[in-house]
Amino acid sequence: MSQRKKRNKRAPKRGKNPQPSPATTDEQQEDLIQTVEAATVAVRDGDVPTVRRLVDHLREHHPEHYRTYSFRAQVAIWDGEEEEAVRLSREAMARGGDTIFAVVARHLEILNSYGLHEEVLEILDNEAAQWSDHINLLRHRYQALRGLHRRMEARDFLENQFNAGRDLPPSLINDLAMLAFDLGDKAGGMGWLRKALEKSPQSNLLWSNLLMLAHYRPDLSLAEIDDIYREWREACIDHLPRNTEFERDTSADRPLRIGFVSNGFLAHPAGWMSITGMRFLADYFDHELFLYSIREGNPSDPVANRFREIATCYTNIAGWSHQEVHDQLLDDELDLLVEMAGHSERNVLPAVAQRVAPVQVKWVGGLFDTSALPTMDYLLTDAVETPPGSEYRYTEQFIRLPGGYVSYTGPSSFPEINHLPALQGEPFTFGCLNNLHKFNETVAELWSSILTAVPGSRLLLKDRKLDDPGVRQWVLELFAHFEIDSERLVLEGGSPHRQLLETYNRIDVALDPWPYTGGLTTVEALMMGVPVITCPSETFAGRHAASHLQNVGLGDFIARDFSQYRALAISCSREPEAINQLRQSLRSMVRKAPLSQYLQFATNLDSAFRAAWGRWCRGEPPSPINFSDAAQIPEDVLARARQELEVHSDARRHGSAYTQGNKRNKKAIKPKKKLMGENFHIMLGTEEKHLAPFINVMDSDLNEFSNHYALIGAKDRWQNLVNGQTAEYFSNHQDLKRLEDYAKQAKRIFFHGLWVKETYNLLQRDPALFGKTFWMPWGGDFYFPETQPKEKNDVIKKIGNLVTYVDYDVEYLRDNYGAEGIYWKAKKVPVFHDKKYEDDGPKNDNLKIIVGNSSFPTNNHLEAFNSLKGFNNENISIYAPLSYGSSDYAEKVTRLGHQYFGDKFRPVTQFMAREKYKKFLSEFDIAILAHDRQQALAMCYFLLGMGKKLYLKRESPNWKHLTKIGFIVHDLSKLRLTRLENSEKDWNIKLSRDFNSPEKFKNDWQKILSAD
């Protein structure tokens, strides 16, 4: 992580201005010890509510103690308060914590995680010098030096420790191997991995690193690589037991339970190359997709959220043991398992090696060669990646997909493509934006020969490792060996993804490395109009670029050897007009290529999976599956896809008045000549259940402010509107045009959602409105930026004010849209604590459980059902509200609910008014909401205020939001069917009385309605 600017002064050092913790009595000391021990365990377990309560106790009884400050720093980290976390941790050190190893080590960890590496080194050389030999502090020094881009110094430090006889753990020796690789010493790096394996000979992590790095070396033969695979199997795989018996329904056309295991369900090459193909498989084919994430994406990562959205069941298995993963996969009774991590970091190949499904398939992700697993039945590939004759090296049977083995989805918008730089007076520029691990002496010699043959040309290399002077020195020295001056090299470090893509506007032709070629990097170059010259090698990783170039129709850029590679590069430099013409058409070529034909790709996947499954059902062994042509898209699927393309996605999802209201409400009320209030609210009828109560409260409790409401949609949608004398109904495009006049008159404009393009187009037409606009964002309004229209993305960035109570939503908007608006903290809808629904104890022995809040797939009902299956013999009743959302999904949930729980399951399909719904919720003991994104937050508020036990996913935004407030919620992965303890119930009810009070809602909105 790069060094960040220090914005806080360091706390005074002990001895200069010490602030020791006060003396305590024996009783106080005992209380302190017990509380610290309990808090330490809670931090280790990630039990946020318990830590918060214990920190409150420490602040009340031991407010000045260094341990109090240290734990407060941890809470600040959970709250995303970087500066406060650093300040509190520094304060803990200043108050005597600098003499306690645990406090010092935690402080160093915090500083390193926030990029304050210089301060880490200063402490290691001063306060922490007494523990200089401790292994943890060695790791902190290494991390600080690497974070400061001082890899040579970090390497020398660890090598000196090793040579001095220090017993370094395998993990640190692995770090040393990575440093060697970063600095160009590939043989040395593999040598260090061998030393680490001497200490931990059965470490799957170390063996996988050795295998991956071997594929970067041009001097290793296939036989030498195959020997490493054999050693790995002998050390990590061959001794494992294997499951051979699976009882499955062998009906030919039934929906299949397909599991996908990956560390790339996020903005990652494997994610970009699979998400849309998998989404179309989930949307158009009747399969249940079980996703198992080895590495969780940031909650603001749009690709990670999209994966969660498409899953029938999504399980975060980060940190699980191989045996735990194996057991979970078996318990889920999969028909097929698709492995997508290969020999990359945190993989779970030993779990898959024991066989967890009747059919096991390897696909994109850590796919640089065979998995080498005897239990991996198939490999999804294509005829370029694995040409005829390559079968002998693979343990898998090939499924050669037509048109390529992946699909591609990029960011929501790409930079514009410029004209060829060489035609604008710039030197002809070759470039490579691949991982620098793919760079080596063989590549340097080849590229140098091209630069020599093209006078005045230059080479641009870009990789975050080039921020390190030691890495730059290695690259420059290597080119100097081949007589290339540094002036002809442009070496650039890391940058945000969009800036990286813009770099292609300075490149004329891209050069592919060897023997490990570019995958996602190749496709991104093509999307930016830059052709790529490649020379395939013999491994799967050595043919990535060739596969993508063939897919797009650029087979002429695939060289048979280095001589032709060089000739192609020279030829391109001599034909700039032709290259420029190609440049302007490449993006369109990618979008028309099989890479971007998502429905066809999903059909190919479905056909491949069904063919493999059919062979198992017939008792046949795995054998090659080849397609003579693309699979036939079923007529019903094609018809449905065409129909859905005709309807704007937002209007379809939210029942917009633009597509449904015009015929019903021809007698819309004409607008008054003048706006009836200084605050103009634009609201969509499909959210009436939330917005009608908002209007009622505004016009009764905040009537000192004048408000005018534009209610979009048929008038009959607003039946629950009690007040709203200044409400006006809009239903057709002619009416909607008059919104612009009101917007110009208003002092403040409030968008209650941006569902409909005609509303946010108001802001595009008149940028002067942005500053006085307040937007109340709803989850479906902005999640998955890659699916949102570009004009909407631009509007979100410029809107002047954001109104929500969910910090996570604001972080998401800033990270994914660059939203610049002022953050106003207030609830979008009134959710008031109601004393009459507070829980007064169990009515009987039957536990009533509510699962989900609607029939949208984002409820992840099946995941919740899987958690409940083990309690089927208990005295329980399970209810699932399915009154709005997708009718197809509601039918699926109903079918599975009855299948799993029989007559204990009761779907609720009747929509309820708010008061009836609150009474309905008050009858439950336990609620399970398995959403991955922010959803059903009002329901959460109601349930917690009623004293109900609420289970959420720990990684979900709702968990983060509610625990940050201080509510006690429970982790769905640790489900126990017991009612909420009285102490926890009392705490949540007390907190709800304050947090969900009408006074708080009124005070928050008074500030907004008074804003200048």
Side-chain angles (χ1 to χ4, degrees):
M1 184 181 296
S2 60
Q3 174 77 349
R4 300 186 185 179
K5 181 180 179 182
K6 295 182 185 178
R7 289 162 289 186
N8 294 314
K9 293 182 179 179
R10 287 194 60 195
K13 290 185 179 179
R14 187 170 170 81
K16 292 184 178 179
N17 185 19
Q19 300 178 51
S21 297
T24 59
T25 65
D26 290 344
E27 186 176 336
Q28 289 174 320
Q29 184 65 21
E30 182 62 26
D31 175 76
L32 174 66
I33 292 171
Q34 291 181 0
T35 307
V36 166
E37 288 178 350
T40 301
V41 172
V43 169
R44 181 197 66 200
D45 294 342
D47 187 351
V48 179
T50 296
V51 175
R52 290 185 187 280
R53 292 201 304 279
L54 293 171
V55 167
D56 287 344
H57 177 85
L58 288 169
R59 293 185 73 174
E60 180 179 353
H61 298 283
H62 312 279
E64 304 303 321
H65 199 277
Y66 57 80
R67 285 289 200 177
T68 301
Y69 281 89
S70 185
F71 285 118
R72 286 176 63 190
Q74 177 60 63
V75 172
I77 291 171
W78 285 330
D79 291 344
E81 298 173 355
E82 173 183 333
E83 292 191 19
E84 182 67 0
V86 173
R87 184 191 73 79
L88 290 167
S89 189
R90 286 173 177 158
E91 193 68 34
M93 292 281 286
R95 292 176 177 274
D98 59 353
T99 64
I100 307 299
F101 178 79
V103 175
V104 174
R106 182 64 182 131
H107 182 56
L108 294 174
E109 185 178 340
I110 290 172
L111 295 178
N112 261 332
S113 68
Y114 289 137
L116 299 171
H117 307 301
E118 292 281 10
E119 189 172 336
V120 171
L121 296 180
E122 184 180 345
I123 292 171
L124 288 170
D125 291 338
N126 293 283
E127 293 99 315
Q130 59 182 309
W131 302 296
S132 59
D133 289 340
H134 198 286
I135 290 297
N136 277 352
L137 299 196
L138 297 183
R139 181 173 287 108
H140 287 309
R141 184 178 293 276
Y142 150 73
Q143 290 171 346
L145 290 171
R146 191 173 186 276
L148 290 168
H149 309 300
R150 290 157 61 178
R151 283 176 172 82
M152 282 188 174
E153 191 176 342
R155 178 198 62 191
D156 293 345
F157 167 70
L158 289 180
E159 280 188 357
N160 290 338
Q161 294 291 323
F162 184 88
N163 293 333
R166 289 299 304 277
D167 186 21
L168 298 185
S171 60
L172 267 180
I173 301 177
N174 178 70
D175 292 333
L176 186 49
M178 297 302 108
L179 287 171
F181 240 82
D182 288 351
L183 292 165
D185 184 8
K186 293 178 170 54
M190 291 185 67
W192 283 114
L193 282 171
R194 288 290 187 183
K195 288 182 172 65
L197 282 165
E198 290 174 7
K199 289 176 169 285
S200 184
Q202 290 187 309
S203 169
N204 184 65
L205 167 70
L206 295 174
W207 279 110
S208 288
N209 282 346
L210 190 69
L211 278 164
M212 174 172 277
L213 297 181
H215 286 76
Y216 290 117
R217 287 184 58 179
D219 57 325
L220 291 184
S221 67
L222 289 180
E224 289 173 303
I225 293 175
D226 290 344
D227 283 343
I228 301 175
Y229 276 118
R230 177 184 51 75
E231 291 181 87
W232 166 70
R233 279 198 304 268
E234 291 174 354
C236 300
I237 302 301
D238 288 349
H239 66 281
L240 297 173
R242 295 179 191 172
N243 304 302
T244 57
E245 299 297 328
F246 295 91
E247 293 185 6
R248 298 289 188 270
D249 177 358
T250 57
S251 303
D253 297 325
R254 72 170 177 84
L256 300 179
R257 293 166 70 93
I258 307 174
F260 295 82
V261 179
S262 179
N263 53 19
F265 291 146
L266 41 87
H268 173 280
W272 293 119
M273 294 294 197
S274 61
I275 176 57
T276 308
M278 288 175 60
R279 178 171 72 83
F280 274 68
L281 184 69
D283 288 350
Y284 290 98
F285 295 89
D286 195 12
H287 301 303
E288 296 174 4
L289 272 53
F290 289 68
L291 271 58
Y292 306 89
S293 178
I294 303 171
R295 180 178 63 179
E296 277 299 272
N298 187 294
S300 63
D301 183 328
V303 183
N305 290 327
R306 193 62 183 136
F307 275 112
R308 297 187 188 101
E309 182 86 4
I310 67 171
T312 306
C313 180
Y314 186 97
T315 306
N316 175 12
I317 58 173
W320 289 25
S321 70
H322 292 149
Q323 191 59 47
E324 288 172 329
V325 173
H326 167 268
D327 294 345
Q328 181 65 60
L329 295 173
L330 273 184
D331 287 347
D332 286 342
E333 298 181 348
L334 305 171
D335 299 315
L336 288 91
L337 176 78
V338 183
E339 200 284 324
M340 298 175 63
H343 287 278
S344 59
E345 62 176 327
R346 309 179 198 180
N347 72 74
V348 293
L349 287 177
V352 179
Q354 300 175 61
R355 189 173 286 283
V356 294
V359 178
Q360 300 193 155
V361 182
K362 180 75 193 88
W363 191 30
V364 63
L367 178 51
F368 42 80
D369 225 337
T370 178
S371 69
L373 283 182
T375 55
M376 195 70 74
D377 303 307
Y378 295 97
L379 170 66
L380 288 175
T381 179
D382 59 47
V384 178
E385 285 282 8
T386 51
S390 59
E391 291 84 356
Y392 77 97
R393 293 194 58 249
Y394 290 79
T395 57
E396 306 89 352
Q397 298 294 323
F398 292 162
I399 301 178
R400 288 192 175 103
L401 295 175
Y405 76 107
V406 292
S407 61
Y408 169 70
T409 306
S412 56
S413 65
F414 276 85
E416 295 295 322
I417 297 173
N418 66 352
H419 285 282
L420 197 74
L423 293 178
Q424 302 180 62
E426 296 293 329
F428 197 92
T429 303
F430 299 102
C432 180
L433 274 54
N434 274 274
N435 178 354
L436 208 61
H437 282 174
K438 301 178 184 180
F439 181 67
N440 53 62
E441 186 172 352
T442 301
V443 170
E445 182 177 12
L446 174 61
W447 290 351
S448 295
S449 72
I450 293 170
L451 292 175
T452 300
V454 183
S457 63
R458 62 187 178 186
L459 174 66
L460 189 159
L461 302 179
K462 186 177 180 64
D463 182 88
R464 60 186 177 184
K465 288 183 279 296
L466 286 169
D467 286 316
D468 191 307
V471 177
R472 293 170 66 89
Q473 178 183 330
W474 160 58
V475 173
L476 291 172
E477 288 177 352
L478 196 50
F479 277 107
H481 177 72
F482 297 108
E483 301 181 351
I484 299 298
D485 293 335
S486 60
E487 290 77 11
R488 300 187 67 183
L489 302 173
V490 181
L491 305 183
E492 297 183 355
S495 63
H497 189 229
R498 186 173 182 84
Q499 187 177 329
L500 180 141
L501 292 175
E502 290 170 347
T503 305
Y504 284 109
N505 279 330
R506 294 184 281 128
I507 296 173
D508 298 295
V509 171
L511 301 178
D512 198 36
W514 188 94
Y516 201 125
T517 63
L520 176 66
T521 314
T522 298
V523 179
E524 289 183 340
L526 299 178
M527 283 294 290
M528 289 302 300
V530 179
V532 181
I533 298 172
T534 188
C535 179
S537 66
E538 295 179 284
T539 65
F540 199 100
R543 307 184 67 84
H544 288 332
S547 173
H548 301 324
L549 289 169
Q550 191 71 45
N551 187 300
V552 174
L554 294 181
D556 290 344
F557 284 81
I558 305 172
R560 62 180 174 270
D561 53 32
F562 285 169
S563 177
Q564 188 181 24
Y565 184 111
R566 181 175 178 273
L568 279 169
I570 296 170
S571 174
C572 288
S573 72
R574 294 172 179 172
E575 301 176 2
E577 293 290 351
I579 297 300
N580 184 55
Q581 187 175 357
L582 176 62
R583 186 185 191 90
Q584 305 310 318
S585 61
L586 261 181
R587 184 174 293 177
S588 175
M589 290 172 65
V590 175
R591 287 176 171 164
K592 293 176 182 178
L595 267 173
S596 305
Q597 304 308 305
Y598 308 123
L599 185 59
Q600 180 62 67
F601 185 79
T603 303
N604 294 344
L605 282 182
D606 172 71
S607 298
F609 291 153
R610 288 216 171 271
W613 173 247
R615 290 184 180 179
W616 182 84
C617 291
R618 294 189 296 271
E620 300 172 6
S623 57
I625 298 173
N626 292 302
F627 289 76
S628 58
D629 202 352
Q632 182 73 35
I633 301 175
E635 283 299 324
D636 61 324
V637 169
L638 199 56
R640 181 178 156 204
R642 286 170 177 162
Q643 181 183 16
E644 291 182 354
L645 282 173
E646 294 173 358
V647 183
H648 189 279
S649 59
D650 278 343
R652 184 179 73 249
R653 182 173 181 182
H654 301 290
S656 163
Y658 304 123
T659 57
Q660 297 182 7
N662 296 342
K663 295 179 180 178
R664 290 196 304 267
N665 192 20
K666 294 182 179 179
K667 297 181 179 180
I669 299 175
K670 294 182 180 180
K672 308 298 181 184
K673 291 182 180 180
K674 290 186 178 181
L675 187 70
M676 297 179 287
E678 61 180 11
N679 300 305
F680 182 42
H681 299 260
I682 299 174
M683 300 174 158
L684 186 67
T686 52
E687 299 303 323
E688 176 275 338
K689 60 183 179 295
H690 298 304
L691 297 180
F694 177 91
I695 297 174
N696 295 335
V697 171
M698 281 285 167
D699 285 359
S700 59
D701 296 345
L702 288 160
N703 55 16
E704 68 267 31
F705 300 98
S706 55
N707 296 286
H708 185 148
Y709 308 97
L711 309 184
I712 299 175
K715 187 174 181 179
D716 58 10
R717 288 185 179 273
W718 298 88
Q719 298 174 10
N720 294 321
L721 195 58
V722 176
N723 298 307
Q725 288 82 358
T726 57
E728 187 171 337
Y729 301 94
F730 291 77
S731 65
N732 59 48
H733 291 273
Q734 185 178 3
D735 289 340
L736 291 171
K737 290 178 181 177
R738 285 178 275 179
L739 289 174
E740 191 168 353
D741 293 333
Y742 283 154
K744 290 178 179 178
Q745 296 177 46
K747 185 173 182 179
R748 302 172 199 87
I749 310 166
F750 294 88
F751 280 88
H752 295 257
L754 286 177
W755 309 114
V756 183
K757 68 179 181 179
E758 280 80 0
T759 55
Y760 56 74
N761 281 350
L762 286 177
L763 300 175
Q764 280 196 312
R765 288 195 296 272
D766 189 354
L769 301 177
F770 277 116
K772 63 178 182 179
T773 295
F774 294 73
W775 174 38
M776 282 62 76
W778 297 80
D781 208 6
F782 61 90
Y783 279 95
F784 317 120
E786 74 277 6
T787 67
Q788 303 289 356
K790 182 180 183 300
E791 59 269 21
K792 184 175 180 180
N793 291 358
D794 295 338
V795 165
I796 290 174
K797 180 179 180 180
K798 299 174 185 176
I799 278 180
N801 302 271
L802 309 172
V803 182
T804 179
Y805 217 99
V806 184
D807 296 344
Y808 163 80
D809 284 353
V810 177
E811 293 170 11
Y812 187 99
L813 290 166
R814 299 208 192 287
D815 290 344
N816 288 277
Y817 293 87
E820 301 166 351
I822 299 170
Y823 177 18
W824 296 86
K825 210 158 189 175
K827 294 194 188 77
K828 300 187 290 284
V829 295
V831 180
F832 297 150
H833 183 86
D834 196 332
K835 188 175 176 59
K836 70 174 175 284
Y837 292 122
E838 290 179 6
D839 190 276
D840 56 359
K843 308 297 187 295
N844 52 55
D845 292 335
N846 179 259
L847 276 175
K848 291 187 70 174
I849 304 167
I850 186 170
V851 178
N853 76 309
S854 65
S855 60
F856 286 112
T858 48
N859 282 264
N860 297 323
H861 283 92
L862 186 55
E863 192 168 344
F865 289 171
N866 280 331
S867 298
L868 282 167
K869 278 198 300 187
F871 302 96
N872 209 6
N873 294 326
E874 303 289 331
N875 184 14
I876 58 175
S877 300
I878 301 171
Y879 292 74
L882 301 169
S883 60
Y884 67 99
S886 163
S887 58
D888 289 343
Y889 181 75
E891 291 176 6
K892 179 178 181 179
V893 171
T894 301
R895 173 173 54 82
L896 291 172
H898 287 307
Q899 177 183 325
Y900 286 1
F901 307 109
D903 58 7
K904 294 182 179 181
F905 176 75
R906 301 168 193 183
V908 181
T909 57
Q910 186 69 37
F911 187 82
M912 303 178 204
R914 173 173 278 215
E915 197 61 29
K916 185 176 180 181
Y917 182 60
K918 286 163 63 176
K919 185 177 186 304
F920 171 71
L921 292 179
S922 72
E923 297 170 354
F924 289 92
D925 302 292
I926 297 171
I928 299 176
L929 302 180
H931 307 88
D932 290 303
R933 69 170 176 84
Q934 191 264 95
Q935 192 173 347
L937 201 51
M939 180 180 179
C940 292
Y941 291 148
F942 284 138
L943 290 163
L944 292 167
M946 294 172 180
K948 308 303 179 182
K949 192 171 190 178
L950 176 60
Y951 279 97
L952 303 172
K953 289 183 176 179
R954 182 179 288 273
E955 64 272 17
S956 69
N958 282 0
W959 173 286
K960 294 179 175 67
H961 170 64
L962 294 168
T963 56
K964 182 174 182 178
I965 296 168
F967 284 111
I968 299 170
V969 294
H970 290 262
D971 186 350
L972 181 54
S973 68
K974 301 175 182 177
L975 180 64
R976 292 176 59 242
L977 295 192
T978 58
R979 293 180 174 90
L980 197 62
E981 293 181 6
N982 287 334
S983 60
E984 295 179 334
K985 180 182 4 176
D986 294 343
W987 173 277
N988 282 346
I989 290 174
K990 177 180 179 297
L991 193 58
S992 174
R993 288 171 183 165
D994 296 331
F995 182 74
N996 294 319
S997 68
E999 293 76 19
K1000 179 171 178 52
F1001 183 84
K1002 181 177 179 180
N1003 290 339
D1004 290 340
W1005 271 95
Q1006 280 177 331
K1007 296 173 186 176
I1008 297 171
L1009 295 170
S1010 303
D1012 293 329

